[in-house]
Amino acid sequence: MFSTQQKKATVSFREFLERLADSSRPDPENVIPQNPYNWSMYAINDSISVDFIGKYESLEKDFEFVCSKLGVPFQNSSLPTIKRIRSKGRSYRDWYSG
């Protein structure tokens, strides 16, 4: 039987990437996947190229954080909205027939 609860890793993101880049590095917390299929998202020419990954769920807050790190002024309307529901008060169910 397996547990659905994941244990919290106590390694920094930088340490995680360094372990990912160097397979000979010890991984006592077992945070490195066996087949790091997404390494290309974190590296350029096999060198770590990121130090922060934001989440879509908190995109505006994460974008504000990145702007502050870069010294770029953040404006609440900096992120464009491509798709927006224009009808107010209607449920998504109203758009589909049963």
Side-chain angles (χ1 to χ4, degrees):
M1 186 164 250
F2 64 92
S3 171
T4 57
Q5 293 180 345
Q6 294 180 350
K7 61 182 179 180
K8 295 266 184 187
T10 57
V11 299
S12 69
F13 181 64
R14 180 122 192 115
E15 175 65 22
F16 168 75
L17 291 177
E18 288 172 356
R19 289 182 189 182
L20 199 56
D22 181 5
S23 60
S24 66
R25 232 179 142 104
D27 183 28
E29 296 88 359
N30 200 28
V31 295
I32 302 302
Q34 293 301 315
N35 297 314
Y37 63 92
N38 57 355
W39 174 247
S40 62
M41 290 184 348
Y42 306 116
I44 296 174
N45 295 331
D46 227 15
S47 294
I48 297 170
S49 59
V50 298
D51 60 7
F52 176 78
I53 294 181
K55 294 190 265 182
Y56 185 78
E57 294 81 7
S58 56
L59 183 61
E60 192 167 320
K61 184 182 85 160
D62 292 344
F63 184 61
E64 182 177 9
F65 173 77
V66 170
C67 286
S68 72
K69 289 290 188 184
L70 296 174
V72 175
F74 171 77
Q75 296 172 354
N76 205 13
S77 61
S78 296
L79 297 172
T81 302
I82 294 174
K83 292 184 179 182
R84 182 176 292 186
I85 298 173
R86 290 185 173 88
S87 62
K88 295 180 180 166
R90 293 183 69 182
S91 169
Y92 73 90
R93 291 178 183 95
D94 295 338
W95 296 100
Y96 300 95
S97 61

